Amino acid sequence: MTETSTPETFTGSFTQQEPIPEAGIAAAMHVLQSGRLHRYNTGPGELSEAALLEQDFAAQTGANYCLAVASGGYAMSCALRAAGVGPGDRVLTNAFTLAPVPGAIAAVGAVPVFVGVTEALVIDLDDLQAKADQADMLMLSHMRGHLADMDRLMAICDASGIRVIEDCAHTMGASWNGVPSGRFGIAGCYSTQTYKHVNSGEGGLLITDNEELAARAVMLSGSYMLYERHLAAPGREIFEQVKYVTPNMSGRMDNLRAAILRPQLADLATQAARWNDRYRVVEDGLRGTPGLQIVARDPREAFVGSSIQFLLLDWAAPRVEAVLRRCAARGVELKWFGGAEPKGFTSRYDSWRYAPSERMAASDRVLSGVIDMRLPLTFTRDDCALIARIIRAEVSAVFQSSRLDA
Ligand SMILES: *Cc1c(COP(=O)(O)O)cnc(C)c1O
């Protein structure tokens, strides 16, 4: 490119989703025409879309039980509560995650204990080992779809009597060593919110093999005594044991959302492949950029590349800000987890002042360099290649410049 030519810019939207598939729209219309949107409002012999969704997702993940709820955050607090976590209990969780994770712990009155993050953007297993005596529950967030070495993680937790609940908001459709995420711990929690892997606006799913946890979760979600209308819940005898002692903390999913979701779940593997295709184009385009570190992915990890991260490790803040500014001017929206103040969806463990923590120097170094970008499926491969060229050019320009305000 010559000095005078206009630099390429990207004009697409980083927040534009694909439309709901036709089959989902048709199923939604059917629910709307029936007027029976509430999951327990069924006609004679009718199975509700919500109950069918639970049955579908249990089968898809291989879990015995599944519960559909109002949000991913609700699924997490419901799983914690159903597992007996209560006020004052300490819960280990990731220092690098999104605000609903410590929020779900706070929702049951428990106290988050943050565990550090590595340059691979996964939970620091040495730090987990060091803190293993501080709690008997881990709310593990597979943040941005990065899966830790789950074999080692489970070995640490099993040896210390730590139960694990998985936050799979970014790993629906992902697996470690052939085992789906959400199937390692006592429960897996998913979000079906617009920015995740399936889109019902808002919504969540909880899976488990533990019958008592499942029954408590169903009661908590607001089943009244209608739990027998569930198709992926334990038998009546388990409910008999918990129904008088489990409060109703209303958070059900409705049939409209369930109807929209079922065809999307059926397409998940195809969508994951399309995301990964885009991810690899961006990753290849960024590889070898001076000053920029690609996030290493373990071959045992089958991830879903719905977003991509890279590191500007040990860059001074004004230089990172210059990269963000210059990319934004060319239409590329990057998010930074290292900013002093939480912005948009980015915040970090020291932003959550209701949950005091000690500083973690190695994690702070990583967090200061984490740049994050969404990869909606509305991007084409050409879009992805263009975005990578823009980031590469601007990171290189700032990296090579001696001026701080590059
Ligand atoms: C979105 C998200 C959640 C919560 O999901 P909601 O459905 O928005 O409540 C939890 N954890 C992570 C990492 C998320 O990104």
Side-chain angles (χ1 to χ4, degrees):
M1 204 186 295
T2 67
E3 295 278 323
T4 51
S5 66
T6 332
E8 298 180 293
T9 59
F10 177 65
T11 54
S13 163
F14 281 81
T15 51
Q16 181 57 54
Q17 314 303 333
E18 293 192 296
I20 300 301
E22 286 301 331
I25 295 174
M29 288 306 289
H30 188 73
V31 172
L32 287 171
Q33 279 153 355
S34 79
R36 292 190 292 279
L37 275 70
H38 191 285
R39 68 167 297 162
Y40 299 120
N41 183 200
T42 46
E46 186 182 26
L47 301 173
S48 76
E49 287 285 342
L52 290 165
L53 170 72
E54 291 164 348
Q55 191 175 49
D56 291 351
F57 197 59
Q60 194 164 344
T61 51
N64 288 350
Y65 311 115
C66 176
L67 173 69
V69 293
S71 74
Y74 185 91
M76 289 190 291
S77 60
C78 180
L80 285 166
R81 198 176 264 120
V85 177
D89 291 345
R90 293 160 71 86
V91 176
L92 295 157
T93 195
N94 305 59
F96 175 50
T97 186
L98 293 187
V101 180
I105 295 168
V108 300
V111 181
V113 176
F114 296 108
V115 182
V117 60
T118 72
E119 287 179 32
L121 299 188
V122 295
I123 193 164
D124 181 341
L125 296 180
D126 295 331
D127 197 31
L128 177 64
Q129 178 74 74
K131 292 173 177 163
D133 60 350
Q134 294 190 31
D136 57 12
M137 179 65 79
L138 167 65
M139 170 59 79
L140 173 66
S141 184
H142 301 298
M143 175 63 173
R144 281 300 187 245
H146 297 274
L147 286 149
D149 177 340
M150 290 303 294
D151 303 320
R152 188 175 161 217
L153 184 144
M154 291 309 298
I156 292 171
C157 290
D158 290 344
S160 306
I162 297 173
R163 294 179 300 162
V164 179
I165 294 175
E166 294 173 73
D167 164 23
C168 305
H170 302 160
T171 54
M172 179 186 271
S175 58
W176 171 266
N177 229 350
V179 179
S181 85
R183 299 293 292 137
F184 290 89
I186 56 168
C189 302
Y190 302 78
S191 169
T192 65
Q193 189 238 77
T194 294
Y195 298 106
K196 311 300 162 82
H197 297 174
V198 290
N199 175 11
S200 60
E202 301 286 357
L205 291 161
L206 188 169
I207 58 169
T208 183
D209 283 349
N210 183 300
E211 58 189 13
E212 189 182 324
L213 194 157
R216 285 183 190 278
V218 169
M219 295 296 302
L220 285 166
S221 76
S223 66
Y224 301 90
M225 297 299 152
L226 302 169
Y227 43 78
E228 285 178 84
R229 303 219 196 145
H230 285 246
L231 299 170
R236 170 207 295 247
E237 64 292 355
I238 310 299
F239 284 93
E240 293 295 337
Q241 296 163 25
V242 303
K243 70 181 187 184
Y244 298 114
V245 294
T246 310
N248 176 327
M249 301 196 172
S250 201
R252 294 173 301 273
M253 180 180 281
D254 57 272
N255 287 331
L256 189 57
R257 288 173 200 186
I260 293 172
L261 288 171
R262 291 181 62 214
Q264 295 183 58
L265 280 182
D267 273 353
L268 192 57
T270 313
Q271 299 295 77
R274 295 177 62 219
W275 259 307
N276 289 347
D277 191 36
R278 286 156 178 77
Y279 183 99
R280 293 299 184 194
V281 171
V282 176
E283 187 185 49
D284 288 346
L286 294 182
R287 212 181 286 285
T289 305
L292 179 150
Q293 186 168 316
I294 299 280
V295 178
R297 313 249 21 179
D298 192 293
R300 287 167 290 182
E301 182 194 18
F303 61 96
V304 180
S306 54
S307 68
I308 189 164
Q309 293 70 44
F310 58 83
L311 297 172
L312 300 180
L313 263 190
D314 303 322
W315 283 48
R319 287 177 164 269
V320 177
E321 281 160 357
V323 168
L324 301 184
R325 202 168 52 241
R326 293 172 65 131
C327 287
R330 295 177 66 181
V332 175
E333 269 178 51
L334 302 176
K335 307 292 176 191
W336 181 35
F337 279 86
E341 279 298 309
K343 249 192 217 169
F345 64 77
T346 60
S347 58
R348 28 190 284 162
Y349 72 96
D350 54 332
S351 320
W352 307 317
R353 292 184 203 166
Y354 59 85
S357 52
E358 307 213 328
R359 299 220 63 96
M360 289 178 268
S363 295
D364 289 347
R365 172 172 176 257
V366 173
L367 287 170
S368 303
V370 179
I371 309 289
D372 177 72
M373 185 177 82
R374 283 199 180 108
L375 285 175
L377 288 173
T378 49
F379 287 2
T380 63
R381 298 182 101 243
D382 285 347
D383 290 339
C384 293
L386 169 60
I387 288 166
R389 281 198 301 280
I390 292 171
I391 297 172
R392 185 184 194 93
E394 298 305 338
V395 168
S396 307
V398 177
F399 187 70
Q400 279 147 18
S401 154
S402 53
R403 298 202 335 265
L404 270 187
D405 60 344

